[in-house]
Amino acid sequence: MIDKLIIGGHEFRSRFILGSGKFSLEMTDAVIKNGGVEMATLAIRRANVGGEENILDYMPQGITLLPNTSGARNAQEAVRIARLARELGCGDFVKIEVVHDSKYLLPDNYETVKATEILAKEGFVVMPYMYPDLNAARDMVNAGAAAIMPLGAPIGSNKGLCTREFIKILVEEIQLPIIVDAGIGRPSQACEAMELGVAAIMANTAIATASDAALMASAFKLAIESGRMAYLAGLGRVVEHKAVASSPLTGFLED
């Protein structure tokens, strides 16, 4: 089955994007390989160029780096971090993350739109992390986003698809890849999201906090693939308030 994920003109076979922020450097390589990951986030503060410990040294060859602007509190700071990532040789992909709420860590959609517009004009492949709001998503599309990354639940919570109905709206209305980012805590939740028709899943905490992170990465890989196949196959109908026999019952059990 040829079913590639296309973001900003770049093709990927895997629909599992790894958030690498919570892993030990030694674990990064094993998780990426077990998960079949082709794209992984990178916090610029972990790219300790010239230092003793550099996460870039633990990324397998061929991985597409997705620098994020974590720590940015407004559009100006996000743009500065993205430009720095490019100068460090991390490529043109960037995940815009603007958060100034220290309790719930919810993204600021307004500042994210501003950063998206600036960086898209500079040739970045911009993937904004956002609270799932249709109007904000449309603004991000108009600003030049290459994909939209709505949260499933507050970041790091492992609560799953708390924003399920809003993500469904984005899938139906936005003609860009919808990538669920933040909150997915189990492979079953990743599968459920893929069945909705989202293009990919980003996960970090669910894997980093598992007893066996490498094995959990494999579980997420299979769940994401399964959910995608179910979506492409077309899910069966749901029948309310009665049962329907799976075999013909003509002349049987009739009043």
Side-chain angles (χ1 to χ4, degrees), residues 94-245:
V94 63
K95 174 190 169 186
I96 299 300
E97 189 173 330
V98 179
V99 176
H100 53 75
D101 161 42
S102 61
K103 182 175 182 179
Y104 298 105
L105 302 179
L106 296 177
D108 184 326
N109 285 352
Y110 175 73
E111 291 292 313
T112 299
V113 171
K114 292 199 296 184
T116 297
E117 185 172 14
I118 293 169
L119 293 171
K121 288 178 179 178
E122 295 181 8
F124 283 89
V125 179
V126 185
M127 300 169 62
Y129 168 59
M130 53 95 70
Y131 188 86
D133 173 83
L134 178 58
N135 293 320
R138 285 173 172 161
D139 288 342
M140 291 172 193
V141 172
N142 293 334
I148 303 294
M149 305 183 73
L151 60 84
I155 191 167
S157 67
N158 281 352
K159 288 185 175 181
L161 281 177
C162 296
T163 59
R164 186 181 194 279
E165 295 304 315
F166 298 107
I167 289 173
K168 282 176 63 178
I169 292 173
L170 297 187
V171 169
E172 293 170 2
E173 299 295 334
I174 300 298
Q175 302 303 309
L176 284 177
I178 304 298
I179 301 169
V180 176
D181 177 15
I184 297 296
R186 301 180 181 182
S188 58
Q189 294 164 354
C191 184
E192 179 185 359
M194 294 302 296
E195 289 176 353
L196 295 179
V198 306
I201 300 293
M202 176 176 285
N204 183 353
T205 303
I207 299 164
T209 57
S211 298
D212 188 329
L215 185 59
M216 185 60 76
S218 297
F220 264 80
K221 173 181 181 291
L222 295 173
I224 290 168
E225 291 174 353
S226 179
R228 178 64 179 175
M229 285 190 287
Y231 170 74
L232 293 177
L235 298 173
R237 74 190 192 287
V238 176
V239 178
E240 301 286 353
H241 308 305
K242 69 172 185 177
V244 177

